[in-house]
């Protein structure tokens, strides 16, 4: 029996208690995450919430074991001094430094989920590396939402208090041989459990659980964000590459049903100039012109100028973004490349020759330029702009009037758009893109305009009015320029932002952005309201058609003004699954199989028709979704985007 006395019972029990505490606090963070986002993620009952939280334990296990692997090892490794006060102090600091950093990730999502519509992933590092103001953004965010920091400090203090309730008293082993034998056995057993916990299963045939697995336990896909935790989603996406070739269909099926190449034959004698506005965070819900038939109770528009312009334009009130971040908007609008679970722009494949509206215009002798009022290189725009082939880039450096800097992101929209209006057109025809900046967190406007605009019901309402006003002032200047009358203007948003109305809390409407084509030249016939479903990647082929580019173009989008009716396949990703709108249905796809079929009108993904709806039409549409995904992977990986 003396052999059993050397079993390190108090150390093992203390370790189990300390790991158990991590589970408790992860569940508290999950509850707080849902509480602060309950308008966006509907849960029908307490029992439904507990079901989601229960399934979240598997994802918590992976996160906790990732973070505490070294702590567990040092707690069990047999070096005799484990129970000494100094050694336990080292374990204490290791435990709370690692767990504190990991735990803080979840608190950031209390706020930023409202903007990103997805849990934190490692792509945040890709965004941050292009910015020089990360610390300032953090401090401003804390100042605007102090409750997040308060909750974090209170819970960490409680965690420390509970940790200290179970102490390990100093105990020297009497028999070293059984001490080492027991320690090795416990370590081996723990290693097996840790590997299984990180994988999410002990089955050899089971892949490690991933973000998409959270959707196995939910009624509505948005609830998957409750099942997940931010630590898991960050670590699981760190260093991953979900770009993998797949084979579902033959090339003929792709050529017939996806049609990745298009040809338009419009004859254009006097080629128009092109001005593309990608408006920061311009959700469709902010503009009244796009909500006339939505029957939203108490609806208020916050873009009076855009609304008036829309009345003279061709608009698409059923338009969707193809990504969730600004750089995704750039690749989608200009190059027709959407971002799926992994963003193309942060992938190893982004640095390749890409056919785009930029290359098409360069081919036709256009002068091409890109404008963004942030420090050059911000958001990755300069690098990706160089890949696309813009001849000129104009940023904060070229603007060279730092007194107009907003102190956080970029030059205020009004002065920068004035610069934009006066600086283009020196050579015609020209194609230019401007990416606005002011309608963004921290939701500020210039001091001189305080009180000019309605506060609205969410923080975004005031700055989006300022941007709308800035665009109005831009047009007042641009109308005086000689190039104005023969110019086509395009307006869209890069992604959505804060939500004020229930209609836009629906999962697919998280991608709802406006689309406007305007030209003072009646020759282009850009008038009316087109109810067809459209997407950002349609902009490039539409413009290629309008300027009379008659060569073959590579595009998954289609011209929205052509008599040629190429297939409409709308695609985006919520960060865990790809989403398609094809025909009268929407499909969710996990990279291997279709996991959901929804009626096109069911924008909230409330009724999954899988198993109930099996017709030749849906069978072909499911194959088309897979074929599209196959072609996308093939072209990205094998560098066939030109």
């Amino acid at each position: 029996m003396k052999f059993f006395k050397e079993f390190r019972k108090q150390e093992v029990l203390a370790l189990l208690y300390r790991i158990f505490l991590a589970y408790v606090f992860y569940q508290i963070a999950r509850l707080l995450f849902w509480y602060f986002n309950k308008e966006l993620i509907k849960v029908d009952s307490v029992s439904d919430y507990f079901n989601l939280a229960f399934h979240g334990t598997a994802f918590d296990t992976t996160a906790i074991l990732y973070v505490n692997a070294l702590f567990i090892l040092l707690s069990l490794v047999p070096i005799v001094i484990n129970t000494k006060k100094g050694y336990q102090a080292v374990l204490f600091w290791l435990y709370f430094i690692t767990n504190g950093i990991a735990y803080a990730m979840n608190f950031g999502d209390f706020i930023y989920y409202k903007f990103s519509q997805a849990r934190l992933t490692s792509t945040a590092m890709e965004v941050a590396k292009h910015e020089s103001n990360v610390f300032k953004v953090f401090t401003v965010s804390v100042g605007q939402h102090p409750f997040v920091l308060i909750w974090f400090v209170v819970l960490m203090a409680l965690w420390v208090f509970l940790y200290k309730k179970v102490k390990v008293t100093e105990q020297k082993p009497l028999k070293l041989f059984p001490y080492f034998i027991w320690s090795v056995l416990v370590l081996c057993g723990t290693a097996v459990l840790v590997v299984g916990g990180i994988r999410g299963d002990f089955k050899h045939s089971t892949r490690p659980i991933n973000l998409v697995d959270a959707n196995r336990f939910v009624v509505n896909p948005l609830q998957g964000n409750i099942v997940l935790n931010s630590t898991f989603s960050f670590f699981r996406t760190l260093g991953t590459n979900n770009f993998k070739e797949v084979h579902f269909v033959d090339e003929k099926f792709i050529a017939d049903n996806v049609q990745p190449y298009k040809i338009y034959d419009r004859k254009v004698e006097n080629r128009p100039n092109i001005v593309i506005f990608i408006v920061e965070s311009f959700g469709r819900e902010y503009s009244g012109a796009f909500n006339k038939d939505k029957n939203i109770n108490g609806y208020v528009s916050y873009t009076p100028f855009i609304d008036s312009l829309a009345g003279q334009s061709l608009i698409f009130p059923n338009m969707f973004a193809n990504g969730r971040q600004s750089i995704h908007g750039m690749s989608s609008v200009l190059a027709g490349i959407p971002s799926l679970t992994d963003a193309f722009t942060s992938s190893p494949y982004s640095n390749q020759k890409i056919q785009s509206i930029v290359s098409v215009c360069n081919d036709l002798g256009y002068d091409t330029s890109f404008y963004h009022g942030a420090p050059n290189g911000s958001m990755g725009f300069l690098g990706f702009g160089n890949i696309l082939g813009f001849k000129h880039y104009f940023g904060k450096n070229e603007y060279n009037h730092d007194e107009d800097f907003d102190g956080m992101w970029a030059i205020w929209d009004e002065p920068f758009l004035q610069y934009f209006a006066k600086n283009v057109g020196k050579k015609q025809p020209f194609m230019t893109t401007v990416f606005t900046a002011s309608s963004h967190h921290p939701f500020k406007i210039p001091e001189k305009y305080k009180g000019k605009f309605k506060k609205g019901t969410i923080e975004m309402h005031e700055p989006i009015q300022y941007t709308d006003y800035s665009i109005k002032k831009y047009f007042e200047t641009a109308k005086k320029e000689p190039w104005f009358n023969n110019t086509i203007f395009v307006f869209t948003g890069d992604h959505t932002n804060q939500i004020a109305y229930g209609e836009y809390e629906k999962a697919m409407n998280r991608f709802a952005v406006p689309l406007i084509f305007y030209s003072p030249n009646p020759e282009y016939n850009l008038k009316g309201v087109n109810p067809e479903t459209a997407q950002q990647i349609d902009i490039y082929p539409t413009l290629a058609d309008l300027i009379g580019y008659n060569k073959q173009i590579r595009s998954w989008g289609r011209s929205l003004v052509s008599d040629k009716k190429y297939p409409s396949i709308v695609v985006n990703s919520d960060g865990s699954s790809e989403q398609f709108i094809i025909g009268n249905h929407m499909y969710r796809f996990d990279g291997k199989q279709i996991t959901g079929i929804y009626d096109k009108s069911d924008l909230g993904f409330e009724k999954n028709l899988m198993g109930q709806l099996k017709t030749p039409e849906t069978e072909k549409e499911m194959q088309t979704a897979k074929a599209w995904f196959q072609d996308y992977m093939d072209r990205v990986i094998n560098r066939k985007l030109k």
Side-chain angles (χ1 to χ4, degrees):
M1 294 297 292
K2 290 182 179 179
F3 186 81
F4 290 97
K5 286 184 178 180
E6 296 303 334
F7 177 69
R8 299 160 61 189
K9 180 180 176 182
Q10 70 156 341
E11 293 173 70
V12 171
L13 290 176
L15 175 61
L16 291 174
Y17 172 74
R18 292 163 180 174
I19 297 300
F20 170 73
L21 285 179
Y23 279 96
V24 171
F25 282 91
Y26 269 67
Q27 287 291 1
I28 294 173
R30 174 173 286 109
L31 180 61
L32 289 171
F33 168 79
W34 172 73
Y35 178 78
F36 288 117
N37 292 282
K38 60 182 183 295
E39 296 85 8
L40 302 178
I41 309 175
K42 303 299 183 185
V43 177
D44 293 332
S45 65
V46 173
S47 62
D48 285 343
Y49 175 82
F50 278 114
N51 181 60
L52 296 171
F54 170 75
H55 289 297
T57 303
F59 299 87
D60 294 349
T61 298
T62 299
I64 290 166
L65 293 177
Y66 267 139
V67 174
N68 289 282
L70 180 59
F71 173 79
I72 292 169
L73 174 64
L74 294 180
S75 295
L76 297 177
V77 66
I79 53 175
V80 182
I81 63 169
N82 306 64
T83 60
K84 286 185 176 292
K85 190 175 181 180
Y87 192 86
Q88 287 296 312
V90 170
L91 289 180
F92 171 86
W93 285 108
L94 173 63
Y95 180 86
F96 280 107
I97 289 172
T98 53
N99 280 292
I101 294 171
Y103 199 51
M105 295 178 181
N106 296 277
F107 285 73
D109 268 351
F110 292 179
I111 298 302
Y112 281 99
Y113 177 79
K114 291 177 171 58
F115 311 134
S116 66
Q117 314 297 332
R119 283 284 195 168
L120 174 74
T121 66
S122 59
T123 57
M125 296 174 65
E126 290 294 325
V127 175
K129 75 180 184 182
H130 294 292
E131 307 304 327
S132 58
N133 61 347
V134 174
F135 181 73
K136 189 169 186 178
V137 171
F138 171 77
T139 54
V140 169
S141 298
V142 170
Q144 289 184 327
H145 305 284
F147 63 83
V148 174
L149 182 60
I150 292 169
W151 271 110
F152 178 72
V153 171
V154 169
L155 287 171
M156 287 303 298
L158 179 60
W159 197 343
V160 170
F161 172 77
L162 293 174
Y163 180 99
K164 290 183 174 181
K165 291 301 251 183
V166 173
K167 299 183 182 297
V168 173
T169 58
E170 187 171 344
Q171 185 175 329
K172 187 175 181 180
L174 300 174
K175 303 284 186 181
L176 290 179
F177 179 72
Y179 168 82
F180 282 111
I181 292 297
W182 274 119
S183 297
V184 170
L185 290 173
V186 170
L187 267 174
C188 290
T190 302
V192 172
L193 292 173
V194 167
V195 170
I198 288 176
R199 285 179 55 84
D201 204 327
F202 287 96
K203 296 176 184 176
H204 177 72
S205 59
T206 305
R207 67 176 183 180
I209 57 171
N210 214 322
L211 276 66
V212 70
D213 292 299
N215 291 299
R216 291 160 46 198
F217 312 111
V218 304
V219 176
N220 186 302
L222 293 177
Q223 293 175 342
N225 292 296
I226 298 176
V227 177
L228 292 168
N229 65 73
S230 304
T231 312
F232 173 90
S233 59
F234 179 83
F235 279 105
R236 228 6 158 221
T237 56
L238 198 60
T240 60
N241 178 14
N242 288 320
F243 287 88
K244 294 181 175 61
E245 290 188 71
V246 293
H247 184 79
F248 300 114
V249 300
D250 58 32
E251 289 299 318
K252 186 177 186 308
F253 187 93
I254 292 173
D256 292 343
N257 296 281
V258 177
Q259 298 187 40
Y261 290 102
K262 277 87 175 174
I263 295 180
Y264 298 101
D265 52 11
R266 187 185 300 264
K267 299 293 186 287
V268 177
E269 292 184 7
N270 185 21
R271 300 197 193 277
N273 305 304
I274 299 294
V275 176
I276 301 173
F277 274 77
I278 305 178
V279 180
E280 175 64 53
S281 300
F282 191 9
R284 206 191 317 141
E285 74 161 287
Y286 308 138
S287 183
F290 296 86
N291 289 279
K292 291 181 179 179
D293 301 321
K294 304 297 187 202
N295 298 316
I296 299 173
N297 187 36
Y299 179 81
V300 177
S301 175
Y302 293 92
T303 58
F305 177 74
I306 289 292
D307 292 347
S308 66
L309 187 70
Q312 310 168 53
S313 308
L314 175 62
I315 70 169
F316 292 81
N318 292 300
M319 161 77 173
F320 296 95
N322 297 110
R324 305 177 305 280
Q325 296 177 3
S326 296
I327 189 67
H328 303 174
M330 185 179 179
S331 69
S332 299
V333 170
L334 300 179
I337 304 174
S339 284
L340 304 185
T341 301
D342 279 3
F344 165 75
T345 47
S346 57
S347 76
Y349 310 104
S350 60
N351 191 11
Q352 59 175 290
K353 286 190 175 180
I354 300 170
Q355 191 189 49
S356 65
I357 189 58
V358 184
S359 69
V360 161
C361 286
N362 284 338
D363 193 25
L364 293 177
Y366 277 68
D367 190 43
T368 57
S369 58
F370 186 88
Y371 287 74
H372 185 228
N376 293 33
S378 176
M379 302 288 186
F381 292 159
L382 177 57
F384 193 63
N386 287 337
I387 291 172
L388 295 182
F390 279 109
K391 294 176 182 176
H392 314 286
Y393 184 97
F394 298 92
K396 178 174 175 285
N397 295 7
E398 288 73 21
Y399 180 78
N400 198 29
H401 288 283
D402 286 357
E403 65 272 19
D404 294 329
F405 184 57
D406 66 11
M408 178 70 76
W409 291 108
I411 303 300
W412 291 111
D413 280 349
E414 183 192 5
F416 193 74
L417 289 181
Q418 289 299 304
Y419 168 71
F420 174 58
K422 295 171 183 175
N423 203 50
V424 300
K426 295 180 173 64
K427 179 181 176 184
Q428 297 182 52
F430 66 85
M431 173 268 165
T432 187
T433 300
V434 62
F435 211 120
T436 69
S438 296
S439 47
H440 193 289
H441 175 271
F443 310 111
K444 302 293 186 184
I445 63 172
E447 197 65 36
K448 67 179 180 178
Y449 289 119
K450 293 290 175 68
K452 179 178 175 61
F453 307 111
K454 294 177 287 189
K455 284 290 185 181
T457 57
I458 55 176
E459 294 166 300
M460 261 296 291
H461 284 159
E462 188 177 31
I464 198 65
Q465 290 172 88
Y466 167 68
T467 294
D468 178 77
Y469 174 79
S470 300
I471 294 171
K472 175 186 176 183
K473 301 299 285 184
Y474 162 83
F475 266 89
E476 290 175 0
T477 299
K479 282 180 179 178
K480 301 172 185 175
E481 298 296 325
W483 48 261
F484 180 79
N485 286 329
N486 192 39
T487 301
I488 293 173
F489 298 86
V490 183
F491 290 84
T492 192
D494 56 344
H495 53 72
T496 61
N497 204 295
Q498 290 180 320
I499 297 168
Y501 302 107
E503 175 67 19
Y504 289 95
E505 291 172 359
K506 296 175 180 177
M508 188 56 83
N509 269 350
R510 307 288 176 84
F511 297 87
V513 294
L515 177 57
I516 295 173
F517 289 95
Y518 166 75
S519 178
N521 188 339
E523 179 183 337
Y524 302 113
N525 194 30
L526 297 174
K527 305 284 185 183
V529 178
N530 190 325
E532 293 180 44
T533 304
Q535 58 186 325
Q536 287 172 330
I537 64 173
D538 292 332
I539 294 173
Y540 151 42
T542 301
L543 290 175
D545 178 17
L546 284 169
I547 64 176
Y549 189 76
N550 303 141
K551 300 178 185 177
Q552 178 176 271
I553 63 171
R554 185 275 319 147
S555 173
W556 291 295
R558 64 196 177 100
S559 171
L560 298 170
V561 296
S562 174
D563 293 333
K564 288 189 176 181
K565 296 302 178 185
Y566 286 105
S568 173
I569 304 172
V570 175
V571 60
N572 51 45
S573 172
D574 67 359
S576 63
S577 292
E578 325 306 350
Q579 302 174 153
F580 294 90
I581 303 177
I582 304 174
N584 294 314
H585 302 98
M586 297 186 295
Y587 299 89
R588 284 178 60 83
F589 175 67
D590 68 1
K592 293 184 177 180
Q593 59 188 357
I594 301 294
T595 59
I597 305 176
Y598 303 85
D599 187 83
K600 189 177 180 179
S601 62
D602 184 10
L603 296 172
F605 296 136
E606 294 175 4
K607 187 177 181 181
N608 192 342
L609 302 174
M610 283 285 288
Q612 304 172 41
L613 188 65
K614 193 170 184 179
T615 66
E617 177 190 21
T618 57
E619 289 292 315
K620 184 177 180 182
E621 287 172 356
M622 285 192 286
Q623 280 295 91
T624 300
K626 290 181 176 181
W628 187 98
F629 185 80
Q630 176 180 321
D631 189 63
Y632 178 89
M633 289 297 168
D634 173 41
R635 293 187 183 283
V636 169
I637 293 170
N638 294 308
R639 302 179 181 275
K640 297 190 289 187
L641 293 174
K642 46 184 183 176

